[in-house]
């Protein structure tokens, strides 16, 4: 069950082949059987198709084990995916260990600098740790989303971790549209501010309330 849940998060089934009983494992024991079939998957993260042979061992009608093996033509692809996934994980861990490239908490008067640069507009959303407002750059009319976080609701260490995670995601995924881009940060007397790209479409919570849970593929599009 754990294996199936793990695969469901990473890949979606696009085609299922014919289920056959493996002849070479037929021992004559009526209580034991092995079946297999070729399943084609779409890998969500890397957007590639690959074929895996699913081999299920049965004992008295119950599943004893489930194994997956790539078809011969996809062995190289699967190995490459594993390498890419490990590189991705290593890069994220490396980025999270790096200090921020600036002192986020250095100047308590940056709020005035932000207000002089941006014109704040309507509230786009609000959550347990802050409010997001639409803002327009006064120099070039660029639209941004500015998240304000009261100092009473989030401590320095937690906020620095959030900044690191956003920066790591931006660096790892580049221009892919799955992660909100972060541009600047400011500090006021009572609040911290994160300047991000504007993402239209409403709040995720409202989508979840309306549609229920999402698969990973659906969540990427949200």
């Amino acid at each position: 069950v754990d294996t199936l849940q793990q695969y469901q998060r990473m890949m979606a089934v696009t085609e299922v082949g014919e289920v056959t009983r493996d002849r070479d494992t037929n021992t004559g024991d009526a209580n034991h059987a092995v079946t297999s079939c070729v399943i084609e998957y779409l890998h969500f993260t890397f957007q590639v198709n690959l074929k895996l042979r699913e081999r299920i061992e049965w004992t008295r009608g119950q599943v004893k084990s489930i194994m997956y093996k790539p078809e011969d033509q996809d062995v190289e692809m699967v190995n490459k995916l594993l390498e890419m996934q490990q590189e991705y994980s290593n890069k994220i861990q490396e980025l999270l260990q790096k200090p921020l490239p600036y002192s986020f908490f250095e100047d308590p008067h940056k709020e005035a600098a932000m207000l002089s640069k941006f014109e704040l507009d309507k509230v786009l959303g609000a959550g347990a740790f802050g409010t997001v407002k639409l803002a327009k750059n006064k120099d070039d009319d660029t639209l941004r989303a500015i998240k304000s976080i009261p100092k009473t609701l989030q401590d320095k260490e937690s906020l620095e971790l959030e900044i690191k995670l956003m920066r790591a995601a931006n660096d790892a995924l580049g221009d892919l549209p799955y992660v909100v881009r972060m541009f600047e940060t400011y500090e006021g007397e009572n609040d911290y501010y994160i300047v991000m790209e504007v993402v239209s479409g409403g709040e995720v919570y409202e989508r979840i309330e309306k549609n229920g849970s999402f698969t990973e593929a659906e969540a990427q599009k949200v």
Side-chain angles (χ1 to χ4, degrees):
V1 173
D2 290 341
T3 302
L4 292 175
Q5 288 179 338
Q6 181 182 9
Y7 274 99
Q8 186 178 25
R9 289 191 67 251
M10 295 187 299
M11 299 187 291
V13 175
T14 57
E15 185 177 345
V16 179
E18 181 184 359
V19 178
T20 60
R21 180 164 180 159
D22 289 5
R23 296 179 181 277
D24 58 343
T25 57
N26 191 349
T27 61
D29 184 355
N31 293 321
H32 179 80
V34 175
T35 59
S36 67
C37 69
V38 176
I39 304 177
E40 185 170 335
Y41 293 91
L42 170 66
H43 195 289
F44 294 141
T45 306
F46 301 108
Q47 292 296 296
V48 295
N49 291 292
L50 64 152
K51 293 181 179 179
L52 298 179
R53 177 168 292 277
E54 180 184 71
R55 183 177 182 274
I56 303 178
E57 186 176 356
W58 306 81
T59 299
R60 293 186 174 87
Q62 302 296 315
V63 175
K64 182 179 180 181
S65 66
I66 303 176
M67 291 168 284
Y68 294 89
K69 181 181 178 181
E71 291 291 88
D72 293 341
Q73 67 271 22
D74 283 342
V75 170
E76 186 176 347
M77 172 66 74
V78 170
N79 289 335
K80 185 63 177 177
L81 282 175
L82 293 174
E83 290 177 12
M84 291 169 65
Q85 201 156 327
Q86 187 60 51
E87 289 175 8
Y88 174 82
S89 177
N90 291 341
K91 184 173 183 181
I92 292 294
Q93 292 302 318
E94 180 184 338
L95 288 169
L96 289 177
Q97 298 302 318
K98 290 182 178 179
L100 292 172
Y102 47 79
S103 179
F104 186 80
F105 304 93
E106 184 179 73
D107 185 358
H109 304 293
K110 286 187 176 181
E111 185 174 21
M114 182 201 68
L115 292 175
S116 67
K117 182 176 181 179
F118 294 99
E119 180 181 336
L120 299 181
D121 200 341
K122 64 180 180 180
V123 174
L124 298 177
F129 292 98
T131 302
V132 180
K133 289 185 177 181
L134 181 67
K136 183 172 69 175
N137 190 308
K138 296 178 181 179
D139 294 331
D140 57 15
D141 291 335
T142 302
L143 293 179
R144 294 285 184 256
I146 297 182
K147 181 179 182 180
S148 61
I149 305 166
K151 294 182 177 180
T152 56
L153 296 181
Q154 194 163 26
D155 57 45
K156 173 182 176 180
E157 183 178 351
S158 298
L159 187 55
E160 283 188 334
L161 177 59
E162 180 177 345
I163 298 296
K164 285 184 178 182
L165 287 170
M166 290 184 68
R167 188 189 68 172
N170 288 162
D171 290 347
L173 296 180
D175 294 329
L176 291 176
Y178 303 133
V179 178
V180 176
R181 294 182 63 191
M182 181 188 67
F183 299 104
E184 304 171 74
T185 57
Y186 295 88
E187 179 181 5
E189 183 176 351
N190 300 310
D191 300 273
Y192 303 115
Y193 301 91
I194 302 176
V195 181
M196 304 174 291
E197 70 171 315
V198 177
V199 179
S200 60
E203 295 190 38
V204 175
Y205 180 72
E206 293 176 354
R207 285 281 194 96
I208 295 174
E209 274 196 324
K210 181 180 179 181
N211 301 326
S213 60
F214 293 100
T215 65
E216 187 166 336
E218 292 169 334
Q220 285 179 336
K221 296 175 183 178
V222 173

